[in-house]
């Protein structure tokens, strides 16, 4: 989304503005695979998030494209930025840029609910922060394109939905969950992502990407230089595949396997009944735990562990319970609709975690050994093996 037109409600006026919202331009190669799988393994100390990269890209775009600032000023934006020679320091005093940045990153409110943490706009325009990255309900333009109105609530102004649409809100999140369950997080989709991430890890130190002033960076290091990161695209797949460098051979072999659909073998899956604090950064440790049951046949690097967390978009919380509604008889007043007033047959749990195990070796003997390791590991942890 390079631009989003919406109405900014303020006082007694409705002022239509054009706000550049580059909320997804900061994604690396293969989207969430890069920041969700590759970066935690390649550079676990870097707290990389694509939203922050989106802000850096927008800043870089404004600085490098001299005509863009003029166009923005035509729409009434960035008025206090200089017409020429814009620098990073200039953005510190620009409320419009701060506002755009806050909308992309989605800075949450202070836990006390009193302090207003945003600098781009005042608290009277709090509802604007629910459009692009809604940290309250999770319902934003990523999930829906239009909401009914802004209402006054005890917690300030919020985007609100007509009360009769409450079922549609539950349907929206359930549909999202079903898409993740059946498609986005499918075991074949995820093993392809794992193999691409493996290839990127193998190639990480051997691919040099040029950034500012001719300085070069590795794949994971490119996130530290916005010019280098901008040059990092999905084309890295073909660059690895077509390379002749001997150092790139391990990465090349993985992608060749992928193209021939010689995928890593699926070993099994478990769904812990209680919350376990396991993340992608723990995968190498889990691989070692699995291999210890058959050390003479399998090594930790022969396993791949994938952590799948599916929810309604608000972690373990019910996002609809945080949403404001309004009645036909009182369209300016926001209300909450308790879950039990909607139906007693709605879910009580809103998040589940799966742990999937794959084996890089596909011969029958190795697979039997891997399945034994997985069964023993689940028994040791008290996990039940899931059939799905």
């Amino acid at each position: 989304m390079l631009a989003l037109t919406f109405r900014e409600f303020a006082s007694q006026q409705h002022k239509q503005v054009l706000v550049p919202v580059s909320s997804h331009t900061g994604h690396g190669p293969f989207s969430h695979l890069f920041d969700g799988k590759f970066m935690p393994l390649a550079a676990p100390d870097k707290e990389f998030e694509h939203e922050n990269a989106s802000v850096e890209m927008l800043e870089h775009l404004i600085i490098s494209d001299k005509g863009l600032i003029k166009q923005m000023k035509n729409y009434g934006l960035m008025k206090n930025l200089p017409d020429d020679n814009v620098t990073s320091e200039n953005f510190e005093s620009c409320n419009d840029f701060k506002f755009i940045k806050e909308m992309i990153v989605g800075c949450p409110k202070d836990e006390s609910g009193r302090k207003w943490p945003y600098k781009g706009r005042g608290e009277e325009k709090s509802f604007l922060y629910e459009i692009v990255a809604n940290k309250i309900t999770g319902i934003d333009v990523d999930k829906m394109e239009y909401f009914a109105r802004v209402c006054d609530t005890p917690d300030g102004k919020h985007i609100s939905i007509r009360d009769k649409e409450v079922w549609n809100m539950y349907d929206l999140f359930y549909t999202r969950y079903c898409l993740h369950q059946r498609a986005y997080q499918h075991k074949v989709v995820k093993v392809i992502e794992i193999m691409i991430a493996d290839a990127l890890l193998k190639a990480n130190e051997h691919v040099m990407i040029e950034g500012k002033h001719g300085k070069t960076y590795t794949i994971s290091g490119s996130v530290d230089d916005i010019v280098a990161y901008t040059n990092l695209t999905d084309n890295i797949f073909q660059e690895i595949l077509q390379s002749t460098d001997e150092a790139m051979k391990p990465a090349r072999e993985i992608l060749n396997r992928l193209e021939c659909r010689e995928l890593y073998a699926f070993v099994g899956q478990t769904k812990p009944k209680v919350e376990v604090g396991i993340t992608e950064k723990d995968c190498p440790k889990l691989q070692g735990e699995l291999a210890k049951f058959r050390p003479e046949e399998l090594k930790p690097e022969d396993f791949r562990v994938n952590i799948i967390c599916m929810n309604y978009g608000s972690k373990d919380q019910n996002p609809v319970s945080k949403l404001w509604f309004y009645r036909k008889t009182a369209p300016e007043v926001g209300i909450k609709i308790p879950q039990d007033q909607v139906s007693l047959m709605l879910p009580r749990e809103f998040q589940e975690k799966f742990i999937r195990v794959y084996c890089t070796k596909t011969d029958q003997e190795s697979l039997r050994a891997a399945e034994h390791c997985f069964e023993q590991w689940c028994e040791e942890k008290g996990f039940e093996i899931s059939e799905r």
Side-chain angles (χ1 to χ4, degrees):
M1 248 180 305
L2 270 184
L4 169 69
T5 302
F6 64 91
R7 291 190 179 275
E8 184 177 21
F9 295 81
S11 304
Q12 303 299 317
Q13 300 177 346
H14 290 21
K15 181 182 179 183
Q16 186 163 341
V17 296
L18 184 69
V19 176
V21 188
S22 310
S23 59
H24 292 296
T25 57
H27 274 300
F30 307 101
S31 193
H32 289 286
L33 180 156
F34 185 82
D35 52 338
K37 187 71 179 176
F38 170 71
M39 285 301 294
L41 296 175
D45 295 332
K46 292 181 187 288
E47 298 297 329
F48 175 77
E49 294 181 348
H50 74 267
E51 292 88 353
N52 292 324
S54 294
V55 175
E56 288 187 48
M57 279 197 169
L58 179 59
E59 182 178 314
H60 171 64
L61 187 63
I62 295 171
I63 292 173
S64 59
D65 186 345
K66 299 185 184 302
L68 182 59
I69 189 66
K70 181 179 179 181
Q71 292 297 319
M72 287 183 167
K73 288 188 175 184
N74 288 340
Y75 284 99
L77 294 168
M78 314 290 184
K79 287 186 175 180
N80 56 342
L81 285 183
D83 293 332
D84 297 302
N85 301 320
V86 179
T87 65
S88 297
E89 289 72 25
N90 295 134
F91 293 107
E92 295 298 321
S93 59
C94 182
N95 283 341
D96 281 340
F97 188 82
K98 290 177 183 177
F99 175 52
I100 294 168
K101 177 179 178 179
E102 291 164 348
M103 289 187 75
I104 294 173
V105 176
C107 174
K109 282 189 177 182
D110 183 84
E111 291 182 3
S112 67
R114 300 173 186 173
K115 185 179 178 182
W116 181 248
Y118 299 102
K119 298 179 181 179
R121 294 293 185 270
E123 191 168 3
E124 72 280 1
K125 298 179 183 178
S126 58
F127 58 90
L128 293 177
Y129 290 94
E130 298 172 16
I131 294 174
V132 178
N134 191 335
K135 295 296 183 180
I136 300 174
T137 67
I139 303 177
D140 47 41
V141 291
D142 271 350
K143 301 178 182 70
M144 292 185 70
E145 294 183 352
Y146 180 72
F147 288 103
R149 61 179 63 242
V150 174
C151 292
D152 288 312
T153 76
D155 194 30
K157 291 183 180 291
H158 287 280
I159 294 176
S160 304
I161 304 293
R162 177 68 193 276
D163 56 352
K164 67 179 183 179
E165 301 296 335
V166 64
W167 267 111
N168 284 334
M169 294 298 100
Y170 278 103
D171 281 346
L172 177 140
F173 286 107
Y174 181 68
T175 299
R176 177 183 182 273
Y177 165 79
C178 288
L179 288 171
H180 276 273
Q181 176 70 257
R182 299 169 185 171
Y184 309 146
Q185 310 295 339
H186 190 277
K187 61 184 180 183
V188 177
V189 172
K190 300 311 289 185
V191 75
I192 290 172
E193 289 186 1
I194 289 170
M195 292 181 73
I196 294 174
D198 277 358
L200 293 177
L201 285 166
K202 297 287 187 184
N204 187 35
E205 299 296 326
H206 309 294
V207 175
M208 291 292 108
I209 304 164
E210 186 172 345
K212 295 178 184 176
H213 313 301
K215 188 177 178 180
T216 57
Y217 298 83
T218 62
I219 298 174
S220 60
S222 67
V223 302
D224 296 325
D225 183 291
I226 195 60
V227 174
Y229 187 61
T230 304
N231 290 329
L232 180 62
T233 68
D234 288 0
N235 190 58
I236 190 68
F237 187 101
Q238 291 299 324
E239 187 177 337
I240 295 171
L241 203 58
Q242 295 169 13
S243 66
T244 56
D245 186 348
E246 188 65 21
M248 296 276 275
K249 185 178 178 181
R252 198 162 53 241
E253 288 177 343
I254 294 172
L255 296 188
N256 279 323
R257 281 186 62 174
L258 187 56
E259 289 215 322
C260 296
R261 204 173 173 79
E262 296 174 4
L263 307 179
Y264 299 162
F266 177 71
V267 175
Q269 167 179 287
T270 180
K271 183 169 65 174
K273 292 182 179 179
V274 296
E275 174 58 28
V276 290
I278 298 175
T279 67
E280 285 291 338
K281 292 182 179 180
D282 298 313
C283 289
K285 175 187 172 185
L286 299 181
Q287 291 168 200
E289 293 179 359
L290 286 158
K292 73 180 183 180
F293 295 103
R294 284 287 183 88
E296 70 283 355
E297 297 171 72
L298 294 169
K299 299 176 181 178
E301 55 265 31
D302 294 327
F303 287 98
R304 292 294 180 273
V305 178
N306 188 215
I307 312 299
I308 305 293
C309 187
M310 285 184 277
N311 52 49
Y312 271 31
S314 193
K315 296 185 178 180
D316 60 347
Q317 302 296 308
N318 176 5
V320 182
S321 68
K322 303 176 183 179
L323 185 61
W324 291 95
F325 295 87
Y326 70 93
R327 296 191 178 96
K328 183 178 181 180
T329 54
E332 302 300 326
V333 180
I335 61 169
K336 291 291 182 73
I337 301 180
Q339 181 176 328
D340 59 2
Q341 295 301 307
V342 180
S343 174
L344 296 177
M345 298 182 68
L346 288 168
R348 295 295 170 183
E349 300 290 334
F350 292 89
Q351 179 170 269
E352 59 184 2
K353 183 172 286 187
F354 295 86
I355 303 174
R356 289 183 185 148
V357 175
Y358 298 87
C359 184
T360 62
K361 294 181 176 180
T362 57
D363 62 279
Q364 289 302 311
E365 187 175 341
S366 295
L367 279 179
R368 282 193 292 270
E371 287 170 358
H372 172 79
C373 291
F374 178 65
E375 290 167 2
Q376 292 297 306
W377 181 77
C378 286
E379 185 177 335
E380 182 179 82
K381 296 289 185 182
F383 297 156
E384 291 185 11
I385 297 176
S386 172
E387 295 300 321
R388 286 194 296 146

